[in-house]
């Protein structure tokens, strides 16, 4: 499932940052970015969105009055540098309130609340993934009576097995089996990993082929793409698809 979003902020740098954050979440689709509430109102006369990230303190028409003026407002996350707007923000049933300057972690918290309000499970966990860069390439996994140091880039895919996970590594015929939840693993892995199914997280750099509703990791490994994760995965592919 994809959430179409509208980003509104009269400050160009703040708007640029907000758009950058949205682009880092696979299941968020930026429908438009506006530098005023009046511009956003014009956009919404001809289009619809699932959520609005809206600055409050703007000239001509502030964000709070703009949202109140909408007959059927989408889900709203307010952004502002002024903490005194918080209470008023929740009076208009805002999903969350981001106090500037906010980072990716605060933004991800708001996105999680959007998902909860929409009754959807976020296809890609958004807690530690953006903070864990390609440089921090190790994690420790407990298996049997050992603690194993794993290079994250060597992980081909992760498979759920009841309360355990199978972590399949490059060049290893057998997986590491560890007592851990998919949610916890998904939160820790960096952003070149993606959950494509309730039971599978894959290393996107290890994909050999995509065939219909399956991801082919090698000649013997065909992983299904779940309906809940299909849109986010297709969006990822579209950003990297080269054609005439």
């Amino acid at each position: 499932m994809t959430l179409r979003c509208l980003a509104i902020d009269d400050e160009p740098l703040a708007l640029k940052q907000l758009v950058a954050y949205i682009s880092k979440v696979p299941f968020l689709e930026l429908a438009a970015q506006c530098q005023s509430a009046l511009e956003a109102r014009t956009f919404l006369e001809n289009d619809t969105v699932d959520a609005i990230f809206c600055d409050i303190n703007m000239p001509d028409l502030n964000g709070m009055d703009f949202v109140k003026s909408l007959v059927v407002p989408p889900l709203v996350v307010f952004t502002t540098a002024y903490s005194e707007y918080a209470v008023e923000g929740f009076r208009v049933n805002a999903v969350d309130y981001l106090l500037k300057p906010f980072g990716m972690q605060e933004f991800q918290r708001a996105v999680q609340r959007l998902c909860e309000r929409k009754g959807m499970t976020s296809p890609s966990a958004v807690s530690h993934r953006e903070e864990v860069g390609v440089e921090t390439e190790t994690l420790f996994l407990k298996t049997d009576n050992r603690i194993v140091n794993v290079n994250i880039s060597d992980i081909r895919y992760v498979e759920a097995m009841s309360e355990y996970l199978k972590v399949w590594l490059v060049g290893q015929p057998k997986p590491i089996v560890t007592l851990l939840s998919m949610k916890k693993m998904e939160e820790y892995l960096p952003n070149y990993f993606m959950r494509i199914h309730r039971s599978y997280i894959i290393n996107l750099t290890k994909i050999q082929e995509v065939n219909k509703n399956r991801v082919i990791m090698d000649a013997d490994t065909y992983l299904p793409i779940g309906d809940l994760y299909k849109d986010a995965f297709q969006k990822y592919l579209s950003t990297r698809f080269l054609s005439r």
Side-chain angles (χ1 to χ4, degrees), residues 101-113:
F102 55 88
M104 188 65 191
Q105 186 173 358
E106 291 88 353
F107 179 79
Q108 290 168 338
R109 179 201 66 202
V111 170
Q112 188 64 41
R113 289 180 177 174

PDB file of all heavy atoms in Angstrom, residues 101-113:
ATOM      1  N   PRO A 101      13.888  22.187  14.493  1.00  0.00           N
ATOM      2  CA  PRO A 101      14.311  21.282  13.413  1.00  0.00           C
ATOM      3  C   PRO A 101      14.146  19.831  13.847  1.00  0.00           C
ATOM      4  O   PRO A 101      14.531  19.464  14.953  1.00  0.00           O
ATOM      5  CB  PRO A 101      15.794  21.625  13.239  1.00  0.00           C
ATOM      6  CG  PRO A 101      16.233  22.087  14.595  1.00  0.00           C
ATOM      7  CD  PRO A 101      15.044  22.762  15.228  1.00  0.00           C
ATOM      8  N   PHE A 102      13.538  19.013  13.008  1.00  0.00           N
ATOM      9  CA  PHE A 102      13.357  17.605  13.339  1.00  0.00           C
ATOM     10  C   PHE A 102      14.211  16.756  12.402  1.00  0.00           C
ATOM     11  O   PHE A 102      14.524  17.160  11.282  1.00  0.00           O
ATOM     12  CB  PHE A 102      11.880  17.197  13.245  1.00  0.00           C
ATOM     13  CG  PHE A 102      11.227  17.479  11.921  1.00  0.00           C
ATOM     14  CD1 PHE A 102      11.276  16.562  10.888  1.00  0.00           C
ATOM     15  CD2 PHE A 102      10.557  18.685  11.707  1.00  0.00           C
ATOM     16  CE1 PHE A 102      10.671  16.821   9.667  1.00  0.00           C
ATOM     17  CE2 PHE A 102       9.941  18.960  10.489  1.00  0.00           C
ATOM     18  CZ  PHE A 102      10.009  18.030   9.470  1.00  0.00           C
ATOM     19  N   GLY A 103      14.596  15.601  12.878  1.00  0.00           N
ATOM     20  CA  GLY A 103      15.423  14.698  12.101  1.00  0.00           C
ATOM     21  C   GLY A 103      14.621  13.558  11.514  1.00  0.00           C
ATOM     22  O   GLY A 103      13.402  13.475  11.675  1.00  0.00           O
ATOM     23  N   MET A 104      15.336  12.646  10.868  1.00  0.00           N
ATOM     24  CA  MET A 104      14.686  11.509  10.226  1.00  0.00           C
ATOM     25  C   MET A 104      13.981  10.615  11.230  1.00  0.00           C
ATOM     26  O   MET A 104      12.919  10.067  10.953  1.00  0.00           O
ATOM     27  CB  MET A 104      15.728  10.699   9.430  1.00  0.00           C
ATOM     28  CG  MET A 104      15.134   9.602   8.556  1.00  0.00           C
ATOM     29  SD  MET A 104      14.097  10.282   7.244  1.00  0.00           S
ATOM     30  CE  MET A 104      13.298   8.790   6.625  1.00  0.00           C
ATOM     31  N   GLN A 105      14.556  10.483  12.415  1.00  0.00           N
ATOM     32  CA  GLN A 105      13.936   9.617  13.412  1.00  0.00           C
ATOM     33  C   GLN A 105      12.566  10.135  13.830  1.00  0.00           C
ATOM     34  O   GLN A 105      11.604   9.375  13.942  1.00  0.00           O
ATOM     35  CB  GLN A 105      14.850   9.486  14.634  1.00  0.00           C
ATOM     36  CG  GLN A 105      14.342   8.481  15.649  1.00  0.00           C
ATOM     37  CD  GLN A 105      15.336   8.229  16.765  1.00  0.00           C
ATOM     38  OE1 GLN A 105      16.428   8.779  16.767  1.00  0.00           O
ATOM     39  NE2 GLN A 105      14.967   7.406  17.719  1.00  0.00           N
ATOM     40  N   GLU A 106      12.458  11.451  14.055  1.00  0.00           N
ATOM     41  CA  GLU A 106      11.158  12.035  14.405  1.00  0.00           C
ATOM     42  C   GLU A 106      10.171  11.915  13.243  1.00  0.00           C
ATOM     43  O   GLU A 106       8.978  11.640  13.443  1.00  0.00           O
ATOM     44  CB  GLU A 106      11.313  13.502  14.797  1.00  0.00           C
ATOM     45  CG  GLU A 106      12.035  13.736  16.109  1.00  0.00           C
ATOM     46  CD  GLU A 106      13.540  13.825  15.951  1.00  0.00           C
ATOM     47  OE1 GLU A 106      14.052  13.581  14.830  1.00  0.00           O
ATOM     48  OE2 GLU A 106      14.215  14.135  16.944  1.00  0.00           O
ATOM     49  N   PHE A 107      10.680  12.112  12.033  1.00  0.00           N
ATOM     50  CA  PHE A 107       9.825  11.985  10.849  1.00  0.00           C
ATOM     51  C   PHE A 107       9.298  10.559  10.728  1.00  0.00           C
ATOM     52  O   PHE A 107       8.117  10.337  10.443  1.00  0.00           O
ATOM     53  CB  PHE A 107      10.602  12.375   9.595  1.00  0.00           C
ATOM     54  CG  PHE A 107       9.804  12.243   8.328  1.00  0.00           C
ATOM     55  CD1 PHE A 107       8.891  13.216   7.967  1.00  0.00           C
ATOM     56  CD2 PHE A 107       9.967  11.138   7.499  1.00  0.00           C
ATOM     57  CE1 PHE A 107       8.142  13.093   6.802  1.00  0.00           C
ATOM     58  CE2 PHE A 107       9.231  11.007   6.336  1.00  0.00           C
ATOM     59  CZ  PHE A 107       8.315  11.991   5.980  1.00  0.00           C
ATOM     60  N   GLN A 108      10.168   9.579  10.955  1.00  0.00           N
ATOM     61  CA  GLN A 108       9.768   8.176  10.873  1.00  0.00           C
ATOM     62  C   GLN A 108       8.700   7.835  11.910  1.00  0.00           C
ATOM     63  O   GLN A 108       7.792   7.040  11.643  1.00  0.00           O
ATOM     64  CB  GLN A 108      11.002   7.291  11.055  1.00  0.00           C
ATOM     65  CG  GLN A 108      11.955   7.363   9.868  1.00  0.00           C
ATOM     66  CD  GLN A 108      13.298   6.731  10.155  1.00  0.00           C
ATOM     67  OE1 GLN A 108      13.691   6.594  11.317  1.00  0.00           O
ATOM     68  NE2 GLN A 108      14.010   6.345   9.128  1.00  0.00           N
ATOM     69  N   ARG A 109       8.810   8.439  13.084  1.00  0.00           N
ATOM     70  CA  ARG A 109       7.793   8.222  14.111  1.00  0.00           C
ATOM     71  C   ARG A 109       6.435   8.714  13.611  1.00  0.00           C
ATOM     72  O   ARG A 109       5.411   8.058  13.795  1.00  0.00           O
ATOM     73  CB  ARG A 109       8.180   8.980  15.384  1.00  0.00           C
ATOM     74  CG  ARG A 109       7.177   8.853  16.535  1.00  0.00           C
ATOM     75  CD  ARG A 109       7.360  10.001  17.514  1.00  0.00           C
ATOM     76  NE  ARG A 109       7.009  11.276  16.920  1.00  0.00           N
ATOM     77  CZ  ARG A 109       7.441  12.462  17.351  1.00  0.00           C
ATOM     78  NH1 ARG A 109       8.269  12.525  18.373  1.00  0.00           N
ATOM     79  NH2 ARG A 109       7.053  13.578  16.747  1.00  0.00           N
ATOM     80  N   ALA A 110       6.427   9.860  12.957  1.00  0.00           N
ATOM     81  CA  ALA A 110       5.173  10.398  12.422  1.00  0.00           C
ATOM     82  C   ALA A 110       4.618   9.496  11.329  1.00  0.00           C
ATOM     83  O   ALA A 110       3.399   9.272  11.246  1.00  0.00           O
ATOM     84  CB  ALA A 110       5.402  11.812  11.885  1.00  0.00           C
ATOM     85  N   VAL A 111       5.497   8.968  10.486  1.00  0.00           N
ATOM     86  CA  VAL A 111       5.071   8.059   9.418  1.00  0.00           C
ATOM     87  C   VAL A 111       4.460   6.799  10.010  1.00  0.00           C
ATOM     88  O   VAL A 111       3.442   6.292   9.522  1.00  0.00           O
ATOM     89  CB  VAL A 111       6.259   7.708   8.499  1.00  0.00           C
ATOM     90  CG1 VAL A 111       5.894   6.586   7.535  1.00  0.00           C
ATOM     91  CG2 VAL A 111       6.706   8.939   7.710  1.00  0.00           C
ATOM     92  N   GLN A 112       5.071   6.286  11.077  1.00  0.00           N
ATOM     93  CA  GLN A 112       4.519   5.101  11.732  1.00  0.00           C
ATOM     94  C   GLN A 112       3.112   5.376  12.242  1.00  0.00           C
ATOM     95  O   GLN A 112       2.219   4.524  12.138  1.00  0.00           O
ATOM     96  CB  GLN A 112       5.436   4.674  12.887  1.00  0.00           C
ATOM     97  CG  GLN A 112       5.062   3.344  13.519  1.00  0.00           C
ATOM     98  CD  GLN A 112       5.194   2.189  12.545  1.00  0.00           C
ATOM     99  OE1 GLN A 112       6.150   2.127  11.770  1.00  0.00           O
ATOM    100  NE2 GLN A 112       4.229   1.290  12.556  1.00  0.00           N
ATOM    101  N   ARG A 113       2.897   6.568  12.775  1.00  0.00           N
ATOM    102  CA  ARG A 113       1.559   6.918  13.265  1.00  0.00           C
ATOM    103  C   ARG A 113       0.566   7.075  12.112  1.00  0.00           C
ATOM    104  O   ARG A 113      -0.621   6.757  12.267  1.00  0.00           O
ATOM    105  CB  ARG A 113       1.639   8.196  14.102  1.00  0.00           C
ATOM    106  CG  ARG A 113       2.344   7.961  15.435  1.00  0.00           C
ATOM    107  CD  ARG A 113       2.449   9.212  16.283  1.00  0.00           C
ATOM    108  NE  ARG A 113       3.074   8.903  17.567  1.00  0.00           N
ATOM    109  CZ  ARG A 113       3.402   9.797  18.474  1.00  0.00           C
ATOM    110  NH1 ARG A 113       3.165  11.083  18.270  1.00  0.00           N
ATOM    111  NH2 ARG A 113       3.968   9.434  19.608  1.00  0.00           N
TER     112      ARG A 113
END
